[in-house]
Amino acid sequence: MKKVAVSACLLGETCRYDGTDNKNESLLEHLKDFDIIPFCPEAYAFGTPRPTMDLVETPEGIRALSNQSGKDLSEPVVEYAKTFFDNHPDIDLFIGKDRSPSCGVCSAKVYSSDKELSDTHAAGLMAAEALSLGIDAYDAETYIKADKDT
């Protein structure tokens, strides 16, 4: 059985920044024949609820900065991602939450240091790790559409 890593909020876990979920019944139907492995780097690192964060271009590269404090929150998310994939080396597919600074595959927003939108098709921090490992990765909305087309 193929193994798919899925953003936990899409499965109905209340791990979004505001303590809600993004349960996606259509996605769950598409994944009924997969072994699903949930993940949420932000809930793990910062708890729920938590302040929001954005991807921002900095001199150190693209970093996840807290919208409340401006603090760089990147390292705990990146460390979670590395540990997750080390613990699950046999992941066949990664499905992230669209537009998430952690889990968005090709829909995360990146802002300049003065908070001007500079990119709307970036990979979030965990999604970037999945992509760097060569894992087939999709935003949930894109996966559902692609799966319907096959």
Side-chain angles (χ1 to χ4, degrees):
M1 181 177 287
K2 284 190 170 185
K3 292 189 178 188
V4 57
V6 179
S7 291
C9 64
L10 296 168
L11 303 173
E13 291 186 30
T14 55
C15 57
R16 286 189 53 195
Y17 72 94
D18 60 359
T20 63
D21 68 65
N22 286 311
K23 190 170 186 178
N24 188 319
E25 295 289 350
S26 180
L27 177 66
L28 295 175
E29 180 62 26
H30 285 272
L31 299 177
K32 66 182 179 213
D33 296 326
F34 286 80
D35 181 10
I36 296 174
I37 302 166
F39 65 86
C40 185
E42 293 177 35
Y44 175 84
F46 313 117
T48 301
R50 61 189 166 275
T52 60
M53 63 184 187
D54 283 327
L55 296 177
V56 178
E57 296 170 345
T58 73
E60 295 79 32
I62 295 175
R63 308 297 290 173
L65 304 183
S66 168
N67 287 315
Q68 185 176 55
S69 67
K71 181 180 175 184
D72 187 340
L73 304 175
S74 305
E75 287 312 311
V77 174
V78 171
E79 286 304 313
Y80 173 93
K82 289 180 180 184
T83 300
F84 178 88
F85 291 116
D86 284 348
N87 290 337
H88 302 283
D90 53 352
I91 297 281
D92 298 296
L93 179 65
F94 176 96
I95 298 180
K97 172 63 185 103
D98 308 71
R99 296 172 294 284
S100 165
S102 294
C103 310
V105 175
C106 60
S107 62
K109 295 177 181 177
V110 178
Y111 297 88
S112 65
S113 58
D114 58 358
K115 288 302 236 177
E116 294 291 324
L117 185 63
S118 62
D119 189 358
T120 59
H121 300 291
L125 299 177
M126 183 152 177
E129 184 67 19
L131 291 166
S132 77
L133 295 170
I135 297 170
D136 198 17
Y138 295 88
D139 286 316
E141 293 168 11
T142 304
Y143 181 79
I144 292 167
K145 183 178 179 338
D147 197 44
K148 283 182 182 175
D149 293 342
T150 57

